[in-house]
Amino acid sequence: MKLEIITTPSGAELTSIKFQGKEYLHQGENVLDKEGKVYWKRRAPILFPIVGSLKNNATTIQGKRYEMSQHGFARDMKFDIINISEREHTYMLRYNEETLKMYPFKFELYVSYLVDNDKLTVKYIVKNLDDKSMFFGIGGHPAFAIDLRENKYRFEFDKIEENERFYQLDNGLISYKDNYINKSLLSNNKCINLQKDTFTHDAIIMSDLESQKVRLIENERIKLEFDFTGFKYLAFWSKKNAPFVCIEPWYTTADYTDSDQIFENKKDNIKLEIGEQFECEYSIRFEE
């Protein structure tokens, strides 16, 4: 097969994406800087049941306070293996005593990786097993191996963007400040040129996009095409001079700076009724 993947039950995370023998996924703890420090230990974490940070890392659900770290707990939990084959890897996380201490809802989260020639589809299914409505956020966070020190990469949207919206982070929370820095990044209403200091001010977060796809281009050659159809937000993130860039499709974002910290009121939270399930997916097509 042209496309081969490796995953792990730890966080149900992708650990390798090889297309025609070349590694496309950032290799996490194995990639060190000149001082021998890890740039970023993760590779493609799953963001659930929140995306980004809660205000003061806490929220109130049904009158009780719960604490949860950035991007939620799924990325640090061990998933059950449902199926591992050449073309499909599927995992499941079911609520347990540990999750209920952070998030008082009974759920099942399924994560599937589907390989088809030059295309990888990542699918999420959330099931509400509780006797009440549940609320959550979800998103992806895959990191692709590139060298930001070389000014030869750009993101290119598949449509002209004239009504896009940018969001600015203030200590990890969404700010209402006018994000003039990010607005200047979009050239010709279509491209974001990547440079070593592009992410000095943290992630680039966008919504209200006409596009459903974005391409990562290296020296005029398409490296991959990322389809985020259905997701409200698209974020890009890396660290200064780091050898990777993340493409992140999100349904929700971090709390706003003026959040009342009541989870049911969290902007864009998905509400799932008793017995219902939620599905979403993104896909990556790799170019020869």
Side-chain angles (χ1 to χ4, degrees):
M1 290 180 62
K2 291 183 178 180
L3 183 61
E4 298 176 301
I5 65 170
I6 300 174
T7 60
T8 174
S10 179
E13 189 172 6
L14 277 162
T15 59
S16 176
I17 305 174
K18 287 185 177 179
F19 181 62
Q20 294 186 328
K22 181 180 179 181
E23 181 63 68
Y24 274 69
L25 195 67
H26 171 61
Q27 290 300 288
E29 66 283 355
N30 295 326
V31 184
L32 308 178
D33 64 16
K34 292 181 180 179
E35 298 177 355
K37 296 180 180 178
V38 175
Y39 285 99
W40 187 54
K41 70 177 183 178
R42 302 183 189 272
R43 306 185 187 197
I46 297 157
L47 315 183
F48 176 88
I50 60 171
V51 173
S53 298
L54 297 171
K55 188 175 182 179
N56 299 322
N57 291 319
T59 191
T60 297
I61 304 175
Q62 298 173 328
K64 186 176 179 180
R65 186 177 186 272
Y66 294 87
E67 295 184 357
M68 207 183 312
S69 60
Q70 184 186 38
H71 292 322
F73 51 74
R75 62 184 185 168
D76 296 314
M77 304 291 291
K78 185 175 181 180
F79 283 61
D80 293 328
I81 299 172
I82 303 299
N83 177 54
I84 299 291
S85 66
E86 188 178 40
R87 292 187 176 275
E88 178 182 345
H89 295 202
T90 297
Y91 296 90
M92 185 268 287
L93 175 65
R94 185 182 175 90
Y95 75 93
N96 53 52
E97 291 184 6
E98 186 177 355
T99 67
L100 290 172
K101 291 176 182 177
M102 298 178 281
Y103 178 73
F105 295 106
K106 298 178 180 179
F107 69 89
E108 285 180 344
L109 168 62
Y110 291 83
V111 181
S112 294
Y113 301 100
L114 308 172
V115 176
D116 181 15
N117 197 24
D118 60 353
K119 180 181 177 182
L120 172 63
T121 300
V122 181
K123 184 174 183 178
Y124 302 137
I125 298 176
V126 181
K127 295 184 178 182
N128 182 2
L129 306 182
D130 219 313
D131 58 2
K132 57 183 178 290
S133 301
M134 67 176 281
F135 299 83
F136 67 94
I138 196 165
H141 201 312
F144 300 98
I146 68 169
D147 192 342
L148 283 175
R149 293 170 299 181
E150 301 179 16
N151 298 329
K152 61 180 183 179
Y153 297 94
R154 73 174 185 269
F155 286 122
E156 184 175 290
F157 291 100
D158 68 336
K159 295 181 180 179
I160 296 296
E161 298 298 341
E162 297 179 322
N163 300 304
E164 80 288 345
R165 182 177 178 187
F166 286 93
Y167 299 81
Q168 182 168 320
L169 289 172
D170 182 1
N171 291 319
L173 303 181
I174 300 293
S175 168
Y176 288 97
K177 297 176 183 176
D178 182 48
N179 198 353
Y180 65 91
I181 296 171
N182 278 347
K183 285 181 180 178
S184 66
L185 288 173
L186 192 63
S187 63
N188 300 320
N189 293 332
K190 196 168 186 178
C191 298
I192 296 176
N193 295 309
L194 296 178
Q195 300 175 347
K196 62 182 180 180
D197 60 351
T198 297
F199 300 99
T200 300
H201 301 281
D202 212 324
I204 300 169
I205 305 169
M206 307 175 71
S207 73
D208 301 299
L209 292 165
E210 293 293 330
S211 301
Q212 297 179 333
K213 298 177 182 178
V214 65
R215 300 177 185 92
L216 176 58
I217 297 177
E218 176 183 5
N219 288 337
E220 304 309 318
R221 176 182 172 274
I222 298 173
K223 191 174 178 72
L224 60 86
E225 182 178 70
F226 195 103
D227 188 330
F228 57 96
T229 301
F231 288 83
K232 181 172 182 178
Y233 300 93
L234 186 68
F236 306 111
W237 176 79
S238 188
K239 293 186 174 183
K240 188 175 182 179
N241 290 327
F244 69 86
V245 67
C246 296
I247 305 176
E248 307 179 39
W250 299 348
Y251 264 84
T252 57
T253 65
D255 275 352
Y256 278 68
T257 51
D258 64 350
S259 168
D260 63 8
Q261 295 187 264
I262 297 174
F263 200 64
E264 290 89 337
N265 296 342
K266 184 173 170 62
K267 184 175 174 60
D268 299 318
N269 248 358
I270 300 165
K271 182 180 182 181
L272 200 55
E273 300 295 350
I274 300 168
E276 289 187 348
Q277 71 178 40
F278 169 88
E279 298 183 16
C280 65
E281 65 181 43
Y282 66 87
S283 64
I284 311 156
R285 188 177 297 279
F286 298 89
E287 297 287 337
E288 297 186 24

